[in-house]
Structures are given as structure tokens and as C-alpha cells.
Amino acid sequence: MTDVLIDTQFNDLIATALAARSKAYAPYSKLAVGAAVKCKSGAVFVGANVENRSFGLTICAERIAVGAAVAAGEREFVAIAMTSDSNEPIVPCGACRQFLAEFNPHLIIVSATVHGDRKIDNLSRLLPDATRGILKDADSS
Ligand SMILES: [Zn+2]
């Protein structure tokens, strides 16, 4: 996709993710991340990273947002925005890529920094063949 789309199409979603970032609990990494996932229905759910002194228990902002959406009955997602104050737009970690692919292997990933840098990607590029494996597809009911 082109930079023109990045600059116009996802402004609201990025703004929502930036607001969610203020709720992050990141006392260890100091990397506060906010996320906002847009559902096919138009609804938007937010998340912020929640760290833990036992690092493996840390939950990324993207998974918090999607978890909140699923708990509210949503399962179809079109895009997720994530925001941070890093020097460059961050990308979802490997665990989040797999988690997001459960619902949409072609999810649009929009990443923005508080400094105004933006990058758009597609989950299918970040995690190819996400649904090819030994497990049969989940029952979507
Ligand atoms: Zn993650």
C-alpha cells in the first residue's frame, strides 16, 4: 500500500490507539504500547500492554484489544493500529502475529509512533501460512 493511504485512512484508529497507550502498564520495559482493533461491524476496541515482573506473563496491547473485542462478541477484524514512542513504528511480536491470525490472517497492521511516523503492513506478509498446520480449522460458532 502507499503512504497516501497510511496518512488518511487510519487516522481515527491511530488516535484511538494513542489514547489507549496512556493506560499501559510498562514499568519494566518503559515501552508503553496502545492498540485499537477495528471490527467488521465498525466497533473499535482498545488495549494497552500489561507487563509483569514474571516477563512471560506480560500481555501485549494487541492481544488485550482483540481479547476485549472477542469478549464483547466480535470475531471479524479488519485492521489494528498500534502506537508507541519508539524511534520507528513497531511490529507485533511473534506471539501476537499468531494470535491475530486466528481471526484474520490478512489483517491490516497499522503502526504509528508518537512522533508521527507510520507504517502499514499486512499480517499475511508478517506471518505467512499462518493457518496451514496440523490443526483443523476451528469451529467458528
Ligand atoms: Zn505481542
Side-chain angles (χ1 to χ4, degrees), residues 4-74:
V4 174
L5 283 176
I6 298 170
D7 288 340
T8 58
Q9 192 175 359
F10 298 106
N11 284 353
D12 291 347
L13 200 60
I14 290 170
T16 303
L18 278 170
R21 183 178 169 273
S22 68
K23 304 293 192 289
Y25 176 73
Y28 304 106
S29 74
K30 313 290 189 204
L31 181 68
V33 179
V37 65
K38 183 168 189 168
C39 307
K40 189 176 178 184
S41 69
V44 173
F45 291 84
V46 299
N49 54 330
V50 180
E51 295 184 343
N52 189 277
R53 70 185 66 234
S54 177
F55 293 160
L57 297 181
T58 293
I59 306 175
C60 301
E62 307 95 290
R63 279 182 278 152
I64 299 263
V66 168
V70 171
E74 300 282 356

Side-chain angles (χ1 to χ4, degrees), residues 102-124:
E102 178 73 14
F103 300 99
N104 182 355
H106 302 282
L107 187 70
I108 296 169
I109 310 286
V110 182
S111 185
T113 71
V114 298
H115 316 294
D117 296 315
R118 297 178 181 189
K119 181 174 174 51
I120 188 168
D121 216 324
N122 191 294
L123 184 56
S124 63

Side-chain angles (χ1 to χ4, degrees), residues 58-63 82 91-97 99-100:
T58 293
I59 306 175
C60 301
E62 307 95 290
R63 279 182 278 152
M82 46 197 300
V91 294
C93 74
C96 284
R97 292 177 197 194
F99 191 91
L100 296 170

